[in-house]
Amino acid sequence: MESAFIEKMQSALVAQKEQILKSLADKHSEYKKMVESGEPGDEVDIASDAIDGALLESLGAQDANRLAMINNALDRIKQGKYGICLKCKKEIPLTRLEALPYAFMCVSCQSENERRNR
């Protein structure tokens, strides 16, 4: 795999990482402000706040998972193993890495893995 492509993917991964960290920080501060500034309301307001909190936690979990995958991809770059499928050890197609820079399996192995986990 060409070093220029790896550098391009590393830059994309770092940009995605920064975006997630900023998003998580913004969500946390916005939610904190919402809770602190809110006055006790009726049951509908309380339920709405609970749903908003659950949604923020869910989004946070998804972002945290994506952040872990990005960090793993950055580690694979440092180790010289980026773009190699963890299962079959073949090169992951460049088009897949461009679409999903933190992919750790080729399409075939990922599909097989998803079928098994259904």
Side-chain angles (χ1 to χ4, degrees):
M1 189 172 298
E2 293 182 23
S3 63
F5 180 80
I6 291 174
E7 288 175 18
K8 175 183 164 187
M9 292 297 96
Q10 185 174 15
S11 294
L13 288 162
V14 169
Q16 285 184 14
K17 180 178 180 174
E18 289 172 356
Q19 179 185 14
I20 291 170
L21 293 175
K22 183 183 180 316
S23 174
L24 287 173
D26 290 347
K27 286 176 194 169
H28 179 70
S29 65
E30 286 174 18
Y31 185 65
K32 187 175 179 180
K33 286 178 190 174
M34 188 171 51
V35 170
E36 289 173 352
S37 67
E39 295 180 15
D42 61 10
E43 292 177 13
V44 174
D45 288 341
I46 294 169
S48 176
D49 289 345
I51 290 169
D52 289 344
L55 180 60
L56 285 173
E57 287 177 22
S58 166
L59 290 174
Q62 288 176 341
D63 284 340
N65 184 40
R66 203 166 111 222
L67 184 60
M69 293 174 74
I70 289 169
N71 285 332
N72 289 336
L74 290 169
D75 287 343
R76 287 193 304 277
I77 289 173
K78 288 178 189 172
Q79 297 167 359
K81 297 179 181 181
Y82 181 75
I84 306 297
C85 178
L86 294 179
K87 188 170 181 187
C88 71
K89 307 297 183 212
K90 294 180 182 175
E91 279 197 15
I92 299 171
L94 300 183
T95 53
R96 175 163 172 76
L97 292 172
E98 287 175 336
L100 196 65
Y102 47 84
F104 58 92
M105 281 193 252
C106 65
V107 174
S108 177
C109 291
Q110 182 67 40
S111 295
E112 182 182 323
N113 192 44
E114 288 174 1
R115 278 192 302 269
R116 226 180 295 139
N117 291 331
R118 284 186 190 171

